[in-house]
Amino acid sequence: MTSTLTIVWIALPFFVGFLIYLLPKLDRWLALGMAVASGAYAMSLFVDRSSLTLELLDHFGVTLMIDALSGYFILTNALVTASVILYCWYSGKSPFFYAQTIILHGSVNATFVCSDFISLYVALEVISIAAFLLIAYSRSDRSIWVGLRYLFVSNVAMLFYLVGAVLVYQSHHSFNFAGVRGAPPEAIALMIDALSGYFILTNALVTASVILYCWYSGKSPFFYAQTIILHGSVNATFVCSDFISLYVALEVISIAAFLLIAYSRSDRSIWVGLRYLFVSNVAMLFYLVGAVLVYQSHHSFNFAGVRGAPPEAIALIGLGLLVKGGIFVSGLWLPLTHSESETPVSALLSGSVVKAGVYPLVRCALTVEELDPVVRFFGVGTALLGVFYAVFEKDTKRMLAFHTVSQMGFILAAPGVGGFYALTHGLVKSALFLVAGVLPSRNFKELHQKPIDTAVWVALVMASFSISGFPLLSGFGAKVLTTKNLMPWQTIAMNVAALGTAISFAKFIFLPHQPYEKPEPSNKRGFWAAVVLLIGGLVVANVAYYEAYTLANIIKPLGIIGAGWIVYFLLFRRSVLKLPSVLAQRTLEQFEHLIGVMSLMLILLFWMVVT
């Protein structure tokens, strides 16, 4: 038994799984051959009674250990896999089934030779994904639901496991199983201050409005349970002051958000949810590697540890948070996810959930002054990118989603006052999504031909005024406060973004409307309760920065809004300008491009940190 043979045996199932896709006619033979090869390897362990230990990353204690004990488990897996393949030989199963069976076989084998917590974690996560795909193979509603239930339970369990593994490393600087001897019971750092208060209040008001909106909708207890779990995990991100507890909170957010996105169980919602979950998990893998590198450098997971941390650590953590917060091109997953979710879920995602990725960036910028210019740069870029897409968008919910991207840029452009802007945005964007959900159409062209209820239009106009920066609503104070805290190099770009905001929301403000005489359905009562709470919050929050009401401060936003309306009527209402064809086809929003953009963003972040 040699180390080379062992490494080949571990990697072979994954290569065979890929090969099955290339040679689908040989799927059964390749799968059976792999099971036989594993059985032969197990028998060799019984013949050669010596054990083999491989240290792959000795600095981290990533170790494999193969002996007779492993052999029993490997042989069991080989025989069970072979029997399943033989059972299905004439069943007409697709190559996908056999490929996933062998990938599952290989990842189960990997757990039998792991002797450290981190490689075991990777193997167990691959098992979860492959098992889910096999459970849901029939694609029936029941099988998909059972598979998702299994995946959810598995992921929650692995979150606890991973935190424990990292704490073992913190204690012994090794992930080896032997490190559990003397490992600490816990290590969590929390920080609660006024900045946290703004974000927590935002989350509370948005969640309350969504619950009121759904009061008469007949939503199941599952919906409300997941909403409160999501609410709690979002709150947790707003008090975290270390990268590990933040990681746990962000992962719970991903799972709870996925279950709400896929709540309707339609094919479309499940696909959008899985797309969100996959992108989120990839981002958090980058983040986690960065967090470990920060600890390796400073022996601490505290946010302050990024000061003096290796550039690659800052870049990896930054990438994870940019994706979670929907920032710059890393946030192009957001429009489809937010626009295709049910209305109350869209309000939750845009109103509070997306801020779970933004808050740590604001906190890091305030904690480590060297990061402040980097965060401000991405704030400006995000504000311009989101508004560029939004002014051309013809779909109401997609326009609102692109403006979520843009408004996250406003929060990051002036981190010191980002809390107040986050509160204002959460209230106004949740109100806009809830109102958009009761409009007769999502298409602006159709809405110009179908007058909407005047009462709904008034709510829509008030929210649109606030996000545009109109006086008497908190959006005015938030924009003035942000503008006063910009660096000189940011001013022109952020004024352009504000102009784009006015252009975009002119589409809502100038919609035709008329009074409706039909009696309102009972579920409309929940809608009005939610909208009154949110718009009332915009009015009340307006007094928080009453110093903004000077003549100069009032004239400037009114001028920008007026200019935006003029541009809207001259260029956009008649569709004189259109989005370039490459962008109109949503190329950058396609799944494969989202992953590719992450790599480019990682390079950009690394370059910015180094320079």
Side-chain angles (χ1 to χ4, degrees), residues 382-393 406 500 504 572 579-580 583:
T382 304
L384 291 174
L385 177 72
V387 84
F388 172 76
Y389 273 96
V391 295
F392 291 101
E393 188 56 60
S406 178
S504 301
F572 289 95
L579 199 64
L583 300 180

Side-chain angles (χ1 to χ4, degrees), residues 130-200:
F132 161 71
L133 293 172
L134 287 174
I135 293 169
Y137 176 75
S138 67
R139 299 191 184 181
S140 65
D141 291 343
R142 181 68 174 170
S143 68
I144 291 174
W145 170 243
V146 171
L148 290 174
R149 177 175 175 270
Y150 161 79
L151 194 62
F152 177 77
V153 172
S154 175
N155 281 354
V156 171
M158 294 314 295
L159 282 176
F160 290 108
Y161 169 96
L162 189 59
V163 173
V166 172
L167 294 177
V168 167
Y169 181 83
Q170 183 179 10
S171 177
H172 294 276
H173 306 294
S174 172
F175 288 110
N176 196 280
F177 285 168
V180 295
R181 185 181 293 111
E186 78 270 335
I188 296 175
L190 304 178
M191 182 176 182
I192 301 96
D193 57 9
L195 177 64
S196 306
Y198 279 114
F199 283 86
I200 293 169

Side-chain angles (χ1 to χ4, degrees), residues 10 110 128 256 305 324 370 380 498 550 552 556 565:
I10 292 173
S128 296
K324 290 294 289 187
E370 294 86 350
V380 172
T550 65
K556 181 179 177 180
W565 290 357

Side-chain angles (χ1 to χ4, degrees), residues 253-271:
I253 286 172
S254 297
I255 297 168
F258 160 70
L259 291 173
L260 287 175
I261 293 168
Y263 175 75
S264 67
R265 299 191 191 180
S266 66
D267 291 343
R268 180 68 171 171
S269 68
I270 291 173
W271 162 243

